Amino acid sequence: MKNTIRVQRAIKNITQAELADLVQVSRQTINTIESGKYVPSTVLALKIARVFDTSVDNIFELEEGD
Amino acid sequence: MKNTIRVQRAIKNITQAELADLVQVSRQTINTIESGKYVPSTVLALKIARVFDTSVDNIFELEEGD
DNA sequence: ACCAAATGTAAATTATAAAAGACAATTTGT
DNA sequence: ACAAATTGTCTTTTATAATTTACATTTGGT
């Protein structure tokens, strides 16, 4: 699964640490999700989408292996 | 987090077992997600949404405790 | 170049999603 | 009412998400 968190952060101009704070997880959790190392829960995906005023589907997308 | 999987299944008229088959998980996984006992991964949420030709946000919604 | 902020990564631990199997309870059709 | 299909729930086990701490690397500003 791929995601556009980096782009969304750039648009809102916030750091990984700030995003982590906004959705109440550790900075490392944001970092590893952003770099595709692991898949967040749906609750976390919904919270991230809410921060960026968009949909989960607009941030996360399935790819071949999934 | 709440969801509308039961409704979506009714619309498409498919069983939990059939949905499980379509997204490649066990029937129990669908059952426990549908009854709110646990939160699926974002990959699974995307797959479920795809089965119902809709968005993750249209099926899963945050609530107070989340 | 220098400093500071931001990002990347690694190891260990904890929490929880997901699987499998089995059986109980409920619903649906005839 | 009966039988079959569907759904609910339990236990055990496995896989992986998430936390914490700590440190390395990179990026941006002056």
Side-chain angles (χ1 to χ4, degrees), chain B residues 28-57:
Chain B
Q28 288 84 345
T29 295
I30 296 298
N31 181 271
T32 50
I33 290 172
E34 185 169 314
S35 60
K37 285 191 180 165
Y38 70 75
V39 175
S41 74
T42 301
V43 165
L44 184 47
L46 285 166
K47 287 181 182 175
I48 291 171
R50 193 168 54 180
V51 166
F52 296 128
D53 296 307
T54 186
S55 65
V56 169
D57 305 70

Short mmCIF file of all heavy atoms in Angstrom, two decimals, chain B residues 28-57:
data_model
loop_
_atom_site.label_atom_id
_atom_site.label_comp_id
_atom_site.label_asym_id
_atom_site.label_seq_id
_atom_site.Cartn_x
_atom_site.Cartn_y
_atom_site.Cartn_z
N GLN B 28 -14.44 -15.32 10.41
CA GLN B 28 -14.43 -14.75 11.76
C GLN B 28 -13.89 -13.33 11.76
O GLN B 28 -14.35 -12.49 12.54
CB GLN B 28 -13.58 -15.61 12.71
CG GLN B 28 -14.21 -16.94 13.07
CD GLN B 28 -13.93 -18.00 12.03
OE1 GLN B 28 -13.51 -17.67 10.92
NE2 GLN B 28 -14.16 -19.25 12.36
N THR B 29 -12.91 -13.08 10.92
CA THR B 29 -12.34 -11.74 10.82
C THR B 29 -13.42 -10.75 10.40
O THR B 29 -13.58 -9.69 10.99
CB THR B 29 -11.16 -11.71 9.83
OG1 THR B 29 -10.12 -12.53 10.35
CG2 THR B 29 -10.64 -10.31 9.63
N ILE B 30 -14.18 -11.12 9.37
CA ILE B 30 -15.28 -10.24 8.93
C ILE B 30 -16.31 -10.08 10.04
O ILE B 30 -16.75 -8.97 10.35
CB ILE B 30 -15.96 -10.84 7.67
CG1 ILE B 30 -14.99 -10.86 6.49
CG2 ILE B 30 -17.22 -10.03 7.32
CD1 ILE B 30 -14.48 -9.51 6.05
N ASN B 31 -16.64 -11.18 10.69
CA ASN B 31 -17.65 -11.14 11.74
C ASN B 31 -17.26 -10.21 12.88
O ASN B 31 -18.07 -9.40 13.35
CB ASN B 31 -17.90 -12.55 12.28
CG ASN B 31 -18.97 -12.59 13.35
OD1 ASN B 31 -18.67 -12.43 14.52
ND2 ASN B 31 -20.22 -12.78 12.94
N THR B 32 -16.02 -10.30 13.33
CA THR B 32 -15.58 -9.49 14.46
C THR B 32 -15.39 -8.02 14.09
O THR B 32 -15.62 -7.15 14.91
CB THR B 32 -14.28 -10.06 15.07
OG1 THR B 32 -13.32 -10.27 14.05
CG2 THR B 32 -14.55 -11.35 15.80
N ILE B 33 -15.00 -7.78 12.84
CA ILE B 33 -14.92 -6.38 12.39
C ILE B 33 -16.32 -5.79 12.31
O ILE B 33 -16.58 -4.71 12.82
CB ILE B 33 -14.24 -6.29 11.00
CG1 ILE B 33 -12.76 -6.62 11.10
CG2 ILE B 33 -14.44 -4.90 10.40
CD1 ILE B 33 -12.05 -6.74 9.77
N GLU B 34 -17.22 -6.56 11.70
CA GLU B 34 -18.59 -6.09 11.52
C GLU B 34 -19.26 -5.78 12.86
O GLU B 34 -20.00 -4.80 12.98
CB GLU B 34 -19.39 -7.16 10.75
CG GLU B 34 -20.79 -6.73 10.40
CD GLU B 34 -21.46 -7.69 9.42
OE1 GLU B 34 -20.83 -8.09 8.41
OE2 GLU B 34 -22.62 -8.09 9.67
N SER B 35 -18.95 -6.58 13.87
CA SER B 35 -19.57 -6.37 15.19
C SER B 35 -18.74 -5.42 16.06
O SER B 35 -19.00 -5.29 17.25
CB SER B 35 -19.76 -7.71 15.88
OG SER B 35 -18.53 -8.36 16.06
N GLY B 36 -17.74 -4.79 15.46
CA GLY B 36 -16.99 -3.77 16.17
C GLY B 36 -15.99 -4.28 17.20
O GLY B 36 -15.49 -3.51 18.01
N LYS B 37 -15.72 -5.57 17.18
CA LYS B 37 -14.81 -6.12 18.19
C LYS B 37 -13.35 -5.79 17.92
O LYS B 37 -12.57 -5.71 18.83
CB LYS B 37 -14.98 -7.64 18.30
CG LYS B 37 -16.25 -8.01 19.02
CD LYS B 37 -16.28 -9.48 19.37
CE LYS B 37 -17.59 -9.81 20.09
NZ LYS B 37 -17.85 -11.25 20.15
N TYR B 38 -13.00 -5.63 16.67
CA TYR B 38 -11.68 -5.06 16.42
C TYR B 38 -11.60 -4.28 15.13
O TYR B 38 -12.49 -4.37 14.29
CB TYR B 38 -10.55 -6.08 16.55
CG TYR B 38 -10.46 -7.14 15.49
CD1 TYR B 38 -9.99 -6.83 14.24
CD2 TYR B 38 -10.81 -8.44 15.78
CE1 TYR B 38 -9.89 -7.80 13.28
CE2 TYR B 38 -10.72 -9.42 14.82
CZ TYR B 38 -10.26 -9.10 13.59
OH TYR B 38 -10.16 -10.07 12.64
N VAL B 39 -10.52 -3.53 15.06
CA VAL B 39 -10.32 -2.57 13.98
C VAL B 39 -9.43 -3.17 12.90
O VAL B 39 -8.33 -3.63 13.20
CB VAL B 39 -9.64 -1.32 14.54
CG1 VAL B 39 -9.29 -0.34 13.44
CG2 VAL B 39 -10.51 -0.68 15.61
N PRO B 40 -9.89 -3.20 11.66
CA PRO B 40 -9.08 -3.79 10.59
C PRO B 40 -7.90 -2.89 10.19
O PRO B 40 -7.90 -1.70 10.50
CB PRO B 40 -10.07 -3.91 9.44
CG PRO B 40 -11.03 -2.80 9.66
CD PRO B 40 -11.16 -2.68 11.15
N SER B 41 -6.95 -3.47 9.51
CA SER B 41 -5.86 -2.67 8.95
C SER B 41 -6.42 -1.84 7.79
O SER B 41 -7.50 -2.12 7.27
CB SER B 41 -4.76 -3.59 8.42
OG SER B 41 -5.17 -4.21 7.22
N THR B 42 -5.67 -0.82 7.41
CA THR B 42 -6.12 0.03 6.32
C THR B 42 -6.18 -0.73 5.00
O THR B 42 -7.07 -0.50 4.18
CB THR B 42 -5.19 1.26 6.19
OG1 THR B 42 -5.22 1.97 7.42
CG2 THR B 42 -5.65 2.18 5.07
N VAL B 43 -5.27 -1.67 4.81
CA VAL B 43 -5.30 -2.49 3.59
C VAL B 43 -6.62 -3.25 3.51
O VAL B 43 -7.29 -3.25 2.47
CB VAL B 43 -4.12 -3.48 3.54
CG1 VAL B 43 -4.36 -4.55 2.50
CG2 VAL B 43 -2.82 -2.74 3.25
N LEU B 44 -7.01 -3.86 4.62
CA LEU B 44 -8.26 -4.63 4.63
C LEU B 44 -9.46 -3.71 4.44
O LEU B 44 -10.40 -4.05 3.70
CB LEU B 44 -8.37 -5.43 5.93
CG LEU B 44 -9.56 -6.36 6.07
CD1 LEU B 44 -9.78 -7.21 4.82
CD2 LEU B 44 -9.39 -7.24 7.30
N ALA B 45 -9.42 -2.54 5.05
CA ALA B 45 -10.51 -1.58 4.89
C ALA B 45 -10.66 -1.16 3.43
O ALA B 45 -11.77 -1.06 2.90
CB ALA B 45 -10.26 -0.35 5.77
N LEU B 46 -9.53 -0.94 2.76
CA LEU B 46 -9.56 -0.56 1.35
C LEU B 46 -10.13 -1.68 0.50
O LEU B 46 -10.91 -1.44 -0.43
CB LEU B 46 -8.14 -0.20 0.87
CG LEU B 46 -7.58 1.15 1.33
CD1 LEU B 46 -6.08 1.23 1.09
CD2 LEU B 46 -8.28 2.30 0.60
N LYS B 47 -9.77 -2.92 0.83
CA LYS B 47 -10.29 -4.07 0.08
C LYS B 47 -11.79 -4.21 0.26
O LYS B 47 -12.52 -4.49 -0.70
CB LYS B 47 -9.59 -5.35 0.54
CG LYS B 47 -8.15 -5.48 0.07
CD LYS B 47 -7.56 -6.79 0.55
CE LYS B 47 -6.10 -6.94 0.13
NZ LYS B 47 -5.50 -8.17 0.71
N ILE B 48 -12.25 -4.02 1.49
CA ILE B 48 -13.68 -4.13 1.77
C ILE B 48 -14.43 -3.04 1.02
O ILE B 48 -15.46 -3.30 0.39
CB ILE B 48 -13.94 -4.04 3.29
CG1 ILE B 48 -13.41 -5.30 3.99
CG2 ILE B 48 -15.42 -3.86 3.57
CD1 ILE B 48 -13.43 -5.23 5.51
N ALA B 49 -13.89 -1.82 1.07
CA ALA B 49 -14.53 -0.71 0.37
C ALA B 49 -14.63 -0.99 -1.13
O ALA B 49 -15.64 -0.69 -1.76
CB ALA B 49 -13.76 0.58 0.62
N ARG B 50 -13.59 -1.59 -1.66
CA ARG B 50 -13.57 -1.88 -3.09
C ARG B 50 -14.64 -2.89 -3.49
O ARG B 50 -15.27 -2.76 -4.54
CB ARG B 50 -12.18 -2.40 -3.48
CG ARG B 50 -11.93 -2.44 -4.97
CD ARG B 50 -10.48 -2.66 -5.32
NE ARG B 50 -9.92 -3.85 -4.67
CZ ARG B 50 -8.66 -4.26 -4.82
NH1 ARG B 50 -7.83 -3.57 -5.58
NH2 ARG B 50 -8.23 -5.34 -4.22
N VAL B 51 -14.85 -3.87 -2.61
CA VAL B 51 -15.90 -4.86 -2.87
C VAL B 51 -17.26 -4.17 -3.00
O VAL B 51 -18.07 -4.52 -3.86
CB VAL B 51 -15.98 -5.92 -1.75
CG1 VAL B 51 -17.27 -6.72 -1.84
CG2 VAL B 51 -14.76 -6.84 -1.80
N PHE B 52 -17.48 -3.16 -2.18
CA PHE B 52 -18.77 -2.48 -2.17
C PHE B 52 -18.79 -1.24 -3.07
O PHE B 52 -19.72 -0.43 -3.00
CB PHE B 52 -19.14 -2.10 -0.73
CG PHE B 52 -19.34 -3.29 0.16
CD1 PHE B 52 -18.68 -3.38 1.38
CD2 PHE B 52 -20.19 -4.32 -0.21
CE1 PHE B 52 -18.86 -4.48 2.21
CE2 PHE B 52 -20.38 -5.42 0.62
CZ PHE B 52 -19.71 -5.51 1.82
N ASP B 53 -17.78 -1.10 -3.88
CA ASP B 53 -17.71 0.03 -4.83
C ASP B 53 -17.91 1.37 -4.14
O ASP B 53 -18.64 2.24 -4.65
CB ASP B 53 -18.75 -0.12 -5.94
CG ASP B 53 -18.49 -1.34 -6.79
OD1 ASP B 53 -17.36 -1.49 -7.29
OD2 ASP B 53 -19.42 -2.17 -6.95
N THR B 54 -17.28 1.53 -2.98
CA THR B 54 -17.42 2.80 -2.28
C THR B 54 -16.12 3.14 -1.55
O THR B 54 -15.12 2.46 -1.75
CB THR B 54 -18.61 2.77 -1.30
OG1 THR B 54 -18.80 4.06 -0.73
CG2 THR B 54 -18.39 1.75 -0.22
N SER B 55 -16.16 4.20 -0.76
CA SER B 55 -14.94 4.65 -0.07
C SER B 55 -14.84 4.07 1.34
O SER B 55 -15.85 3.68 1.94
CB SER B 55 -14.93 6.16 0.00
OG SER B 55 -16.00 6.61 0.82
N VAL B 56 -13.64 4.03 1.85
CA VAL B 56 -13.40 3.60 3.23
C VAL B 56 -14.20 4.49 4.18
O VAL B 56 -14.85 3.99 5.11
CB VAL B 56 -11.90 3.70 3.58
CG1 VAL B 56 -11.68 3.52 5.08
CG2 VAL B 56 -11.11 2.66 2.80
N ASP B 57 -14.17 5.78 3.90
CA ASP B 57 -14.86 6.74 4.76
C ASP B 57 -16.37 6.55 4.77
O ASP B 57 -17.03 6.97 5.71
CB ASP B 57 -14.52 8.17 4.31
CG ASP B 57 -13.02 8.39 4.25
OD1 ASP B 57 -12.37 7.80 3.36
OD2 ASP B 57 -12.51 9.11 5.10
#
